[in-house]
Amino acid sequence: MKTIEELLAEGVDGKRVFVRADLNVPLADGLITDDGRIRAVLPTVEALAGAGAKVIVASHLGRPKGAPDPQFSLLPAAERLAELLGKPVAFAQDTVGPAAHDAVNGLEPGQVAVIENLRFNAGETSKDDTERGEFADRLAALADLYVGDGFGAVHRKHASVYDLPKRLPHYAGFLIATEVGVLKKLTDDVRRPYVVALGGAKVSDKLAVIDELLGKADRLLIGGGMAYTFLKAKGYEVGISLLQEDQLPAVTEYMERAEKSGVELVLPVDVLVSTDFPDLKTKAPANPSTVAADAIPADQEGLDIGPETRKLYASKLADAQTVFWNGPMGVFEHPDYAEGTKELAQALIDSPGFTVVGGGDSAAAVRTLGFDEKAFGHISTGGGASLEYLEGKTLPGLAALED
């Protein structure tokens, strides 16, 4: 895989460089609530612009239906990128049409443009190779070189991620190079004890990575909504907690495998419960109670790990040399259910090893709860991509850059 450092050594002055970034930031009423992904691509954009390239930044945002949709416009991301760069950024109101060509043609060396949401064109996400390829051809006409730096999208076989680098000389940006290097430390060069903390809502989202980690990790700590399927598999009452009954056979098998293989699979010993899901808009007091994990009332829902579980999980991280965390321990968006996620994050900081926060909600929780990002070894920009890499899958975006 050629890197941006090689590209910069070759020279980019006056060249049109297409940067496939991940600007898929969360928005509330048109305002960005977390600009982490924009900041993550800054080193690549700044280096290229500083070397005299004409930089074309492209990304998706949300899930539009293959046609323009104002609520998914990249304009707020382009404006934030301009603020972070400290200089103007041109914005094209289409992806491959007249506005995009005018924006690119108007660039001087060292200037930057952002084109509109790639998913406004059905060709970006099409499963038809021909349709995807036609869109990639039109994107290729905008540029001389390609730099892949949208790690959060490399697990997608999309036109701008997979097909476009096949049409242009291609390089990995700083972010992708960093992300791949970190993930290799979690797969090929692991220091032990290796502890993985998994949370989030659905156990089905994590089954494949659990399957892979049962042969690699020393301890698995389970929290979040997915924990209740594990507790149910142990025969516990879980009340009205999030439960995927169809996954019970798989979860039971994994617990048996963990025991046989000597992997510690650690489940909550107590949980915070309530009869009502918390109001995340007003954050009105929720008044939860703490119960043992095997004593959840039938009319209540588990919404966070309890204080004894927090202590237990911190003890399991205390000697860890490698840690990967993906998924919050509870409904961290509400202060009454944030403590489990907060204390887990602090336990990562306190652990002596290399700590990786696996993107998505975990990365958002780190920032929402006020932690210094530099206190962690690495905060990934791609939760889904990180998980699929750990599952041993071939990621289309990385495969295209390696060709």
Side-chain angles (χ1 to χ4, degrees):
M1 184 186 295
K2 285 189 174 182
T3 68
I4 187 173
E5 291 175 334
E6 295 172 83
L7 172 59
L8 292 170
E10 294 167 8
V12 293
D13 189 29
K15 298 287 184 67
R16 301 171 302 164
V17 182
F18 188 104
V19 177
R20 201 332 179 162
D22 179 7
L23 308 181
N24 185 27
V25 292
L27 297 170
D29 300 322
L31 300 175
I32 296 170
T33 59
D34 182 353
D35 68 356
R37 284 176 170 167
I38 302 175
R39 286 186 286 111
V41 78
L42 273 182
T44 289
V45 174
E46 288 176 330
L48 290 168
K54 301 176 181 180
V55 186
I56 307 141
V57 181
S59 176
H60 70 287
L61 191 151
R63 297 180 182 272
K65 306 295 185 182
D69 185 337
Q71 68 176 316
F72 296 117
S73 174
L74 274 178
L75 180 58
E79 292 173 340
R80 181 59 180 147
L81 179 61
E83 291 174 359
L84 293 168
L85 289 171
K87 64 181 185 180
V89 169
F91 181 69
Q93 295 182 327
D94 60 29
T95 55
V96 291
H101 282 274
D102 288 346
V104 173
N105 291 338
L107 290 176
E108 296 293 332
Q111 293 184 338
V112 180
V114 173
I115 62 174
E116 187 54 285
N117 192 336
L118 293 164
R119 291 184 182 176
F120 284 0
N121 190 304
E124 169 67 1
T125 59
S126 176
K127 292 189 180 349
D128 182 86
D129 291 347
T130 300
E131 185 178 12
R132 246 190 8 262
E134 289 173 351
F135 183 50
D137 287 339
R138 298 181 70 187
L139 289 172
L142 295 171
D144 305 305
L145 301 162
Y146 177 94
V147 172
D149 215 31
F151 181 73
V154 294
H155 58 314
R156 307 295 188 190
K157 193 176 182 180
H158 290 170
S160 65
V161 176
Y162 178 75
D163 301 274
L164 181 55
K166 295 177 178 294
R167 289 158 167 76
L168 294 171
H170 47 270
Y171 304 80
F174 290 122
L175 175 62
I176 280 187
T178 298
E179 294 271 14
V180 172
V182 166
L183 288 169
K184 284 183 178 177
K185 290 184 179 181
L186 300 178
T187 52
D188 302 333
D189 186 24
V190 178
R191 290 182 297 153
R192 299 184 181 279
Y194 178 18
V195 184
V196 177
L198 296 175
K202 295 181 178 180
V203 69
S204 55
D205 293 341
K206 305 292 194 319
L207 283 180
V209 75
I210 292 172
D211 183 37
E212 187 71 17
L213 289 169
L214 283 175
K216 294 180 178 177
D218 298 300
R219 300 171 196 144
L220 293 176
L221 314 180
I222 307 295
M226 63 182 283
Y228 301 100
T229 302
F230 280 87
L231 294 174
K232 183 70 172 181
K234 285 176 67 73
Y236 296 171
E237 169 65 58
V238 296
I240 57 172
S241 305
L242 194 61
L243 173 66
Q244 290 187 282
E245 293 210 41
D246 60 322
Q247 303 298 331
L248 286 171
V251 165
T252 301
E253 179 197 342
Y254 287 168
M255 289 194 295
E256 292 171 351
R257 276 178 53 197
E259 187 173 1
K260 289 177 183 176
S261 61
V263 175
E264 283 189 76
L265 199 157
V266 190
L267 300 176
V269 295
D270 62 346
V271 296
L272 268 63
V273 298
S274 175
T275 55
D276 298 306
F277 193 83
D279 187 329
L280 299 182
K281 287 189 176 180
T282 66
K283 295 183 170 53
N287 299 317
S289 58
T290 302
V291 299
D294 60 355
I296 299 174
D299 64 343
Q300 305 222 10
E301 179 177 10
L303 296 164
D304 193 14
I305 57 174
E308 293 304 314
T309 303
R310 296 169 208 158
K311 292 177 187 175
L312 173 63
Y313 286 9
S315 73
K316 297 297 183 182
L317 289 162
D319 64 344
Q321 294 301 309
T322 305
V323 183
F324 176 72
W325 168 35
N326 182 282
M329 296 292 103
V331 187
F332 74 92
E333 299 90 343
H334 192 285
D336 288 349
Y337 301 106
E339 205 60 29
T341 301
K342 190 172 184 178
E343 290 195 22
L344 184 85
Q346 186 61 53
L348 261 73
I349 292 172
D350 294 340
S351 74
F354 180 63
T355 56
V356 179
V357 180
D361 288 340
S362 308
V366 163
R367 290 187 274 268
T368 299
L369 298 174
F371 288 98
D372 181 356
E373 295 179 45
K374 294 178 182 176
F376 302 88
H378 180 70
I379 297 180
S380 178
T381 56
S386 295
L387 288 175
E388 291 198 14
Y389 190 101
L390 294 182
E391 290 166 19
K393 291 183 177 179
T394 297
L395 306 188
L398 296 185
L401 291 175
E402 287 167 354
D403 285 348

